Amino acid sequence: MSREKIVVLDFGSQYAHLIAKRFRALGFYSEIALPQAELSVFDGAKGIVFSGGPSSVYEENVPEFNEKILDLDIPILGLCYGHQLMAKCYGGKVGKADVGEFGFATLNQQKESPLFDGVSKSTQVWMSHQYGVLSLGDGFEVIGTTKDCPFAAVQNLSKKRFSLQCHCEVKDTPEGNKIFANFAKICGMEKNWDEDTVLSIIMDNIRKDACDKNVLLFLSGGVDSTVAFALLNKALGQERVLGLHIDNGFMRKNESKSVEKAYKAHGFNNFLVKDASASFLDAIKGLTAPQKKRMAVGENFITVRDEFVKEQKLDESKWMLAQGTLYPDIIESGGTKNSKTIKTHHNRVDGIQKLIAAGMIIEPLKDLYKDEVRAIGKKLGLSDELVMRHPFPGPGLSINVLCSDGSFSEKDAEELSLAQKELDAVEINQFCQKCTESMTRSVLPVRSVGVQGDFRTYRFPACLTFRSLGDGFYHLPEKREKIEAASSTITNKAQFLNRTVIKLYQNPVVTDSDMKIQEGYCTRERLNQLREVDDIVLSELHGRGLYQSIFQHLTIDLPYASSKDKASFVLRPVCSEDVMTARFAWFDKDVFDSIIKKIAALPFVDALYFDATNKPPATFGWE
């Protein structure tokens, strides 16, 4: 007899797998399936969830869907794209919404529903859509609205069909778990899943995948590769596992030495450290496109791995390669049938894909999210020093150094002008009432990666500059909520903007007209500059006991300055649980003041900004 389950149909959402994770965390076994699945897939299913996705229901290349699924006598919950698909299938109308919603919204209940049992009448939800339901399907009624979405939540009780425009699966919908638990109750689902079961399955899969082979694992020193290393050691024994920490030249200040010390302190003796910085710097020499840089870094890992195998005289027929890949790496790289590529992660480049196809890769964490990985790490006895470190992916600081050949095309200039017009037209004065008299708005002439409606965007950041404090320093409003509201309004209403930054400092001898896009690549010199700025921030957070209060801090180096040897920097602290969504972090004024003054004292800093954008619409990093 098959295990009772809730089946999540993956229409390509960045969050599809997160839905299944939420149900599992609540104690209900859940599986992912494709929307064209045969009905036999639903044997043992007590409920079905339609995920969101990057398509609109009227596009030509929409995900294939087996409409016979709707004839099953099983409760169904639709989210985002799934909400719109259900409306269309039952005779409703879907089209471009008058106002797209990205980020926070308030869902106001309009009618009693078993889906909302115990949920606040007005509750915060997370939106990410440009299309919406315009009229109801047959037999459906409205049970919830937002300011800009009149059909935000609907139901057909007789058919046990429910759908919501919001994403209940993300932590930024605080009562999302209540809604999911209510749906499981509607489904008559009993709890049948726990953390011990997850760990047992991972261990069994490692032994099955490795069979009689040994395993070589790249160790970045980050949480994911460290936990994967601990799992492999536990499942196979240290004699069958070898860790390789590669100093690729993209590490934080003194990072490799710290990693080596922490591993030895834990008792890991089966790892080596290799300095391959010259090789990696050469691999990305002269590259400016973010995707090409990521791919070059990923492919060079394979090159270094092959060289290492030869140096150590390892028999390749007896060795597999392991990675600390998480599910977000796969989904953001376009790794499921219906998902769009947001950014290609280094562990999903062509060379790695070929090894995966050949059955030569083990990825113990590929179905998990960051918070689950940390929980497993603690269960394995890893220290907080290893498990609670800020994420640090394989490409390291290379993806935080934005590059340019110094040119700015006519198309760039045209879109920059359109972005400025959009920014000027957005009404945000109500959010910054005391600051608006001296507030100026501009658009920085650099693009960054974002994610809006499950699509990758590559757009400009809006820049807000408040009153001058003298000596190049600028006022930073103290109320985070006001800044967040202004930032969300800008990115929701402007087509060419996907971030909002606040100017904190500009070298007083440098005028705005002096600031230009400079020719700048990811060189050792620029990386060293970035390391110094990044170290100031992290040292301050450690010194004040704030390091673990945020999920991650990234320092971004922009080739936007008065000369080639100078740069601008962006502070990007974020709070998140699972990487799929995030809110920008906020500090007390004295913390900001200390960090800003120390960075401004560095001779190569022309300007400093703070990234006040949530995810979505922005990704964590700028590349």
Side-chain angles (χ1 to χ4, degrees), residues 216-270:
L216 172 65
L217 171 69
F218 288 148
L219 287 166
S220 70
V223 178
D224 309 332
S225 63
T226 298
V227 173
F229 191 47
L231 284 166
L232 290 165
N233 279 310
K234 186 175 178 64
L236 304 176
Q238 287 200 19
E239 66 279 0
R240 292 182 58 190
V241 181
L242 179 59
L244 173 61
H245 173 68
I246 299 173
D247 182 352
N248 52 18
F250 309 142
M251 308 302 289
R252 295 187 182 111
K253 191 173 182 179
N254 300 322
E255 187 88 9
S256 289
K257 290 181 181 178
S258 297
V259 167
E260 184 175 3
K261 182 179 178 181
Y263 283 167
K264 286 182 177 178
H266 184 73
F268 290 136
N269 298 309
N270 53 332

Side-chain angles (χ1 to χ4, degrees), residues 291-309:
Q291 286 288 80
K292 289 183 178 179
K293 278 173 59 184
R294 284 178 171 273
M295 290 179 182
V297 171
E299 296 293 355
N300 201 59
F301 270 116
I302 300 299
T303 300
V304 172
R305 177 260 185 193
D306 292 343
E307 291 172 353
F308 179 78
V309 167

Side-chain angles (χ1 to χ4, degrees), residues 478-583:
E478 293 184 18
K479 297 212 170 183
R480 179 197 192 285
E481 295 78 13
K482 300 290 186 182
I483 292 298
E484 186 171 50
S487 176
S488 295
T489 300
I490 289 169
T491 51
N492 281 349
K493 294 183 178 295
Q495 178 183 351
F496 294 101
L497 300 167
N498 64 2
R499 289 182 194 266
T500 300
V501 302
I502 302 169
K503 185 187 287 187
L504 303 175
Y505 167 81
Q506 183 169 302
N507 188 332
V509 302
V510 173
T511 65
D512 289 345
S513 60
D514 293 330
M515 298 287 286
K516 294 179 174 61
I517 292 294
Q518 302 290 337
E519 183 179 11
Y521 305 99
C522 191
T523 61
R524 197 180 295 273
E525 292 73 25
R526 286 190 72 197
L527 285 161
N528 284 339
Q529 290 179 348
L530 178 57
R531 273 187 267 270
E532 290 302 318
V533 177
D534 189 61
D535 187 61
I536 286 173
V537 181
L538 296 181
S539 296
E540 191 77 23
L541 296 182
H542 277 296
R544 292 175 178 264
L546 295 172
Y547 181 80
Q548 290 190 14
S549 69
I550 64 172
F551 181 84
Q552 185 180 21
H553 179 270
L554 302 94
T555 305
I556 313 299
D557 183 324
L558 307 181
Y560 178 57
S562 61
S563 61
K564 289 183 182 181
D565 59 335
K566 302 290 182 67
S568 294
F569 296 88
V570 182
L571 306 183
R572 176 65 167 152
V574 290
C575 294
S576 181
E577 179 184 282
D578 45 44
V579 187
M580 300 309 291
T581 64
R583 296 180 74 183

